[in-house]
Amino acid sequence: MTQDRPDRLDRIEATLDRVAQQLDNQVVVNAELRQSTAQLGQSVSELTNRVSDLTGAVDGLLQIVEIHQQNFEQLAARERQREEFERTTSAAIDRISTVLDYLVRRSPYGNEQP
């Protein structure tokens, strides 16, 4: 029995040493986790700022696109107006030419030879 006690105490001490080592390891792991969490928080904050900056840039570009779209629509409308003006002007000139030809043919001077 007396021999069992020192062996038992040695086993208990060995177990306590392992538990102390595990606790030390856990303290190190917890410290690393805190540091990683802080770094991740900082990274998330930086990414949030970048996303905010990008959102602002995209909004600015979107406004520019809308302005260009409006300008293109105005140019297209002007081109349609110009084409319509050309058609109506050409038709008017054709009618005037027809009337002038008719008047010249009916005129007493229309049949004169120089």
Side-chain angles (χ1 to χ4, degrees):
M1 243 178 146
T2 57
Q3 224 174 12
D4 287 341
R5 269 186 116 182
D7 288 342
R8 188 174 177 201
L9 286 175
D10 288 342
R11 285 193 310 263
I12 291 171
E13 284 179 355
T15 303
L16 287 174
D17 285 342
R18 282 194 308 271
V19 168
Q21 183 63 41
Q22 288 175 349
L23 285 173
D24 290 343
N25 290 343
Q26 188 62 48
V27 168
V28 169
V29 168
N30 289 351
E32 289 173 351
L33 284 173
R34 274 191 226 100
Q35 183 179 7
S36 294
T37 301
Q39 289 172 344
L40 284 173
Q42 184 178 359
S43 294
V44 166
S45 178
E46 290 173 3
L47 286 173
T48 300
N49 289 339
R50 289 181 183 171
V51 166
S52 179
D53 292 344
L54 287 173
T55 300
V58 167
D59 286 342
L61 289 172
L62 192 57
Q63 289 175 356
I64 290 170
V65 166
E66 288 172 353
I67 290 169
H68 283 300
Q69 180 65 32
Q70 291 170 357
N71 289 341
F72 286 134
E73 288 172 1
Q74 289 175 357
L75 288 173
R78 287 181 187 160
E79 180 63 19
R80 285 190 298 272
Q81 288 174 344
R82 185 193 63 76
E83 290 171 354
E84 180 62 25
F85 177 77
E86 278 185 11
R87 277 192 297 275
T88 57
T89 302
S90 179
I93 289 172
D94 289 344
R95 284 191 301 269
I96 290 171
S97 176
T98 302
V99 169
L100 286 175
D101 282 346
Y102 173 77
L103 290 174
V104 166
R105 276 185 265 144
R106 292 200 72 216
S107 158
Y109 305 106
N111 293 329
E112 288 183 19
Q113 298 293 326

